[in-house]
Amino acid sequence: MTESLRLEDAVAVLKRTPETLNSLLAGLPDTWIKATEGPATWSPYDVIGHLIHGERTDWIPRARHILAGETRPFEPFDRTAQFRESAGKTLTELLATFTDLRRQNVSVLEKMNLGDEDLNRRGLHPELGDVTLGQLIATWVVHDLDHIAQITRTMAKVYRETTGPWSAYLSILRDRQR
Amino acid sequence: MTESLRLEDAVAVLKRTPETLNSLLAGLPDTWIKATEGPATWSPYDVIGHLIHGERTDWIPRARHILAGETRPFEPFDRTAQFRESAGKTLTELLATFTDLRRQNVSVLEKMNLGDEDLNRRGLHPELGDVTLGQLIATWVVHDLDHIAQITRTMAKVYRETTGPWSAYLSILRDRQR
């Protein structure tokens, strides 16, 4: 049995993510935006494209799938769609797209008027098996927070050498790549 | 020899941190603000107090110390001052104080008009020994990013159980505590 979700707590975070990302990234030089943690890791620019793909294909579509009582598994999520879909777009465009999509999706979520019974409804994840709507929404929140952490970790590592002896105190410089 | 610092890149991040933290945290319920990762770890509320203490006693005072040609070591930094200094203050007050102090400090930094020669000037850290002004400023930036990551990691762990089977995909839920 997992802990139950208070929907207003989840929505409070989901609503804030676009502005957090705008405040953190809008107008920054490419030194920060295009930095990665090494081969096969994502830049802040890549992450915003990934978040956009999630708004389009993951969270709300899967919530609807559960509420429709679908017994087939969810469509698998494409974790690298952003490399195709972000092509040619500026970070400013991507941030604006993400902001729009998130606003629409939070509005859809609020209009679903979900009660505890709805949050306990189940869907079938293609790899993980049985999951609930509440778990899906909690995952949406943690996924946002995980990617904000990833962006700041990636940016921090731009200065891995530049901090000199202080790097001994800055554990983020040695954190996992992903 | 460490990499040299482009001051405008550092300032671009330093300037954005207050708005990032405001966007992420202002108005959130205590579920998020007062959460910790366990005993002896910091809540988002604690982190903002720590950042305030850094603005007052660490970055600019140490930059001035180096530019004054001081040969004595820097004053040690008090890593737990916030537990005393934040007492009785709301998060809103702390965010406003941090925003003001950071604006003032970035303005002081810009007025220092630092060139490469200045960035290579040395000071004595009480534990780390010889450090440069450029390394100090890079550390200021990474310290911001590290604490933003810490805040999002701490918030994510509020939903450690709530994500159910998805926790297998959310590596942030298993990241270090600190």
Side-chain angles (χ1 to χ4, degrees):
Chain A
M1 183 62 194
T2 55
E3 276 187 46
S4 68
L5 182 84
R6 287 192 357 135
L7 195 61
E8 62 270 36
D9 287 345
V11 167
V13 177
L14 292 173
K15 274 186 170 166
R16 281 166 173 78
T17 302
E19 195 48 42
T20 301
L21 292 170
N22 270 287
S23 302
L24 180 64
L25 297 176
L28 278 186
D30 277 357
T31 318
W32 303 114
I33 299 307
K34 298 293 177 71
T36 68
E37 298 179 89
T41 63
W42 295 358
S43 68
Y45 175 91
D46 298 330
V47 171
I48 306 302
H50 168 74
L51 292 173
I52 288 172
H53 194 69
E55 294 305 301
R56 290 203 167 115
T57 71
D58 191 332
W59 315 108
I60 289 293
R62 288 182 173 187
R64 288 185 164 132
H65 181 110
I66 293 173
L67 291 171
E70 268 290 357
T71 53
R72 286 173 304 177
F74 306 138
E75 286 292 315
F77 182 73
D78 180 353
R79 286 206 179 73
T80 58
Q82 69 274 16
F83 296 108
R84 196 171 63 243
E85 294 178 359
S86 297
K89 304 206 171 76
T90 65
L91 180 71
T92 309
E93 291 172 303
L94 295 181
L95 286 169
T97 301
F98 175 65
T99 301
D100 282 350
L101 290 170
R102 174 56 59 90
R103 187 173 36 230
Q104 289 165 31
N105 282 339
V106 167
S107 163
V108 168
L109 179 65
E110 288 179 323
K111 284 183 185 136
M112 286 176 173
N113 259 316
L114 302 171
D116 284 349
E117 205 169 312
D118 300 308
L119 294 173
N120 286 324
R121 292 187 65 173
R122 286 172 185 282
L124 188 59
H125 187 282
E127 291 178 356
L128 299 170
D130 258 13
V131 290
T132 69
L133 179 53
Q135 290 164 352
L136 174 73
I137 297 168
T139 301
W140 192 1
V141 171
V142 174
H143 183 265
D144 275 12
L145 296 168
D146 201 347
H147 283 295
I148 298 169
Q150 177 188 23
I151 287 172
T152 57
R153 187 179 72 232
T154 303
M155 290 170 64
K157 289 179 180 175
V158 173
Y159 278 176
R160 207 190 309 242
E161 304 302 324
T162 322
T163 55
W166 265 291
S167 66
Y169 292 168
L170 299 163
S171 19
I172 197 170
L173 298 176
R174 286 172 298 282
D175 275 359
R176 69 184 162 92
Q177 295 183 2
R178 211 239 338 237
Chain B
M1 182 62 193
T2 55
E3 275 187 47
S4 69
L5 182 85
R6 287 191 357 133
L7 196 59
E8 62 271 36
D9 287 345
V11 167
V13 177
L14 292 173
K15 273 184 169 167
R16 282 166 171 78
T17 302
E19 196 47 42
T20 302
L21 293 170
N22 270 288
S23 303
L24 180 64
L25 298 175
L28 278 186
D30 277 358
T31 319
W32 303 113
I33 298 308
K34 297 294 176 71
T36 67
E37 296 179 270
T41 62
W42 295 358
S43 68
Y45 175 91
D46 298 330
V47 171
I48 306 304
H50 167 74
L51 292 173
I52 288 172
H53 194 68
E55 293 305 300
R56 289 204 168 115
T57 70
D58 191 332
W59 314 108
I60 290 292
R62 288 182 174 187
R64 287 184 164 134
H65 181 109
I66 293 173
L67 292 171
E70 267 291 356
T71 53
R72 286 173 304 177
F74 305 138
E75 286 291 317
F77 182 72
D78 179 353
R79 284 203 180 77
T80 58
Q82 69 274 14
F83 296 109
R84 201 171 56 242
E85 293 176 358
S86 296
K89 303 205 172 76
T90 64
L91 180 72
T92 309
E93 290 172 304
L94 295 181
L95 286 169
T97 301
F98 175 65
T99 301
D100 281 351
L101 289 170
R102 174 57 59 90
R103 186 172 40 229
Q104 290 166 31
N105 282 339
V106 166
S107 163
V108 169
L109 179 65
E110 288 180 324
K111 283 184 186 136
M112 285 175 172
N113 258 317
L114 302 170
D116 284 348
E117 204 169 311
D118 300 308
L119 293 173
N120 287 324
R121 292 187 64 173
R122 287 174 182 279
L124 188 59
H125 187 282
E127 291 176 357
L128 300 170
D130 258 13
V131 290
T132 69
L133 180 53
Q135 289 165 352
L136 174 71
I137 296 168
T139 301
W140 192 0
V141 171
V142 174
H143 183 265
D144 276 13
L145 296 167
D146 200 345
H147 283 295
I148 297 169
Q150 177 188 22
I151 287 171
T152 56
R153 188 178 73 232
T154 303
M155 291 170 64
K157 288 179 180 176
V158 173
Y159 278 177
R160 205 190 311 242
E161 304 302 325
T162 322
T163 56
W166 265 292
S167 66
Y169 292 169
L170 298 164
S171 20
I172 195 170
L173 298 177
R174 286 172 298 282
D175 274 357
R176 69 181 162 94
Q177 296 183 2
R178 212 234 343 229

